């Protein structure tokens, strides 16, 4: 599932490609991917200029000149591609936004969605999200963590606590904080809690700078997206050597999710 670094990478690409451009046509091939009737969706979106693409946690918001916005959550398996009909991936496209000759394809939205909102209807949805994980300060982090008894990984991935962290970067953050993700928040000392907080922003920023771990390029010339795949320290590296101590990375399951860590140098 795309997390903050992947969505930040998409935001960079979209700012270069669609901001300031008019949506000349709209095609909806899967009505469940939107939240209003197709006719209403098209009427609100077609012939509108995209004025900004912003990010909130794992979600992107396409701001339109008429005051509406498109709230995108790719969920599991969703991705985007910018190109023409000639170079478009041979995949089912749930929604297509045309910008004259170029098109923005939304692919893999089986669980994901692109919903139409105005400022008022979007507020309660965004209000459910916790502060941005990449910019939360130490005092606010301690306040949120206070009295929590959940394990570290579920705490980090709970979007009501912090927005933007998912399965991959929760494990990476714990690696850099030198703690096992299966520890409980209330078992952490003040020093350990501080180390956890201090690992969040650099881990997410480094991943965003590297292009995240998405495997699908955004355009035919995209050489950035997916650059983080070869730079992950523990996630999806079961049995491989820890870069810090050389011992094998192990995988365990907790709360029906895989957890990757080094049991020697993470404590």
């Amino acid at each position: 599932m795309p997390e903050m670094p992947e969505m930040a990478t998409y935001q960079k690409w979209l700012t270069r490609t669609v901001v300031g451009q008019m949506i000349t046509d709209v095609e909806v091939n899967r009505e469940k991917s939107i939240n209003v009737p197709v006719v209403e969706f098209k009427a609100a979106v077609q012939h509108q200029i995209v004025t900004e693409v912003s990010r909130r946690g794992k979600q992107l918001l396409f701001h339109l000149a008429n005051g509406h916005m498109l709230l995108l959550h790719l969920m599991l398996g969703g991705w985007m591609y910018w190109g023409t009909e000639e170079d478009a991936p041979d995949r089912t496209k749930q929604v297509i936004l045309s910008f004259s000759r170029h098109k923005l394809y939304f692919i893999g939205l089986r669980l994901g969605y692109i919903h139409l909102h105005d400022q008022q209807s979007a507020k309660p949805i965004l209000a459910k999200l916790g502060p941005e994980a990449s910019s939360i300060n130490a005092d606010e982090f301690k306040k949120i963590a206070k009295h929590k008894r959940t394990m570290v990984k579920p705490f980090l991935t709970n979007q009501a606590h912090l927005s933007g962290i998912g399965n991959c970067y929760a494990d990476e953050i714990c690696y850099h904080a030198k703690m096992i993700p299966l520890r409980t928040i209330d078992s952490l000392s003040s020093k350990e809690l501080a180390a956890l907080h201090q690992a969040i922003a650099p881990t997410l920023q480094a991943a965003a700078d590297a292009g995240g771990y998405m495997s699908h390029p955004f355009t035919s010339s995209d050489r950035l997206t997916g650059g983080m795949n070869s730079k992950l320290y523990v996630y999806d590296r079961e049995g491989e050597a820890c870069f810090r101590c050389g011992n094998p990375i192990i995988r365990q399951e907790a709360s029906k999710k895989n957890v990757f860590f080094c049991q020697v140098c993470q404590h």
Side-chain angles (χ1 to χ4, degrees):
M1 179 184 292
E3 304 176 33
M4 173 267 168
E6 289 69 46
M7 300 313 281
T9 300
Y10 273 134
Q11 183 185 13
K12 291 177 186 177
W13 278 113
L14 291 165
T15 299
R16 297 176 194 172
T17 53
V18 306
V19 171
Q21 302 298 315
M22 178 181 288
I23 300 171
T24 55
D25 195 16
V26 178
E27 182 179 339
V28 178
N29 298 315
R30 184 178 185 270
E31 293 186 29
K32 289 183 178 180
S33 296
I34 61 176
N35 61 328
V36 296
V38 174
V39 172
E40 182 180 342
F41 188 87
K42 285 186 175 182
V45 174
Q46 196 164 339
H47 304 310
Q48 291 300 312
I49 292 175
V50 180
T51 59
E52 180 188 2
V53 177
S54 62
R55 183 188 60 79
R56 185 69 173 91
K58 301 178 184 181
Q59 303 176 67
L60 290 182
L61 294 92
F62 295 72
H63 301 265
L64 306 181
N66 61 1
H68 284 91
M69 64 178 68
L70 297 176
L71 181 60
L72 172 69
H73 198 321
L74 292 173
M75 298 293 284
L76 184 64
W79 51 291
M80 286 178 280
Y81 185 82
W82 169 263
T84 64
E85 291 183 0
E86 289 75 24
D87 65 13
D90 186 18
R91 299 286 293 273
T92 301
K93 293 90 172 174
Q94 284 74 38
V95 178
I96 303 171
L97 300 182
S98 295
F99 296 81
S100 189
R101 182 171 179 268
H102 284 82
K103 300 176 185 290
L104 181 60
Y105 299 98
F106 297 86
I107 304 168
L109 296 184
R110 293 177 296 277
L111 298 175
Y113 54 82
I114 180 165
H115 284 179
L116 178 68
H117 288 283
D118 56 26
Q119 297 291 335
Q120 287 303 116
S121 64
K123 278 184 179 179
I125 298 171
L126 300 177
K128 295 177 182 179
L129 298 174
E132 288 289 326
S134 56
S135 58
I136 187 172
N137 64 46
D139 290 338
E140 192 173 10
F141 183 76
K142 290 178 183 177
K143 184 178 179 181
I144 294 172
K146 190 175 182 179
H147 303 312
K148 295 294 189 299
R149 297 181 179 180
T150 184
M151 288 184 291
V152 172
K153 180 161 185 174
F155 170 78
L156 292 175
T157 58
N158 187 327
Q159 300 304 294
H161 294 156
L162 302 169
S163 60
I165 303 173
N167 290 324
C168 173
Y169 297 113
D171 288 348
E172 294 292 297
I173 288 165
C174 287
Y175 174 83
H176 291 297
K178 297 184 178 180
M179 70 178 59
I180 291 176
L182 304 178
R183 293 276 302 277
T184 58
I185 290 292
D186 61 352
S187 77
L188 303 182
S189 66
S190 296
K191 184 177 180 179
E192 288 174 322
L193 192 63
L196 183 63
H197 169 256
Q198 290 166 9
I200 294 174
T203 300
L204 294 176
Q205 188 59 55
D209 291 343
Y213 67 80
M214 292 288 287
S215 57
H216 301 289
F218 180 74
T219 71
S220 60
S221 60
D222 180 7
R223 301 296 180 267
L224 174 64
T225 302
M228 191 62 191
N229 283 332
S230 61
K231 300 179 180 180
L232 294 171
Y233 286 86
V234 289
Y235 185 74
D236 206 22
R237 294 191 62 239
E238 181 183 10
E240 297 180 35
C242 172
F243 293 126
R244 192 159 48 205
C245 70
N247 285 282
I249 302 299
I250 68 171
R251 176 183 60 85
Q252 289 188 14
E253 188 173 299
S255 302
K256 298 182 180 180
K257 296 183 183 297
N258 288 325
V259 183
F260 298 89
F261 58 93
C262 175
Q263 61 183 341
V264 176
C265 66
Q266 289 177 252
H267 307 289

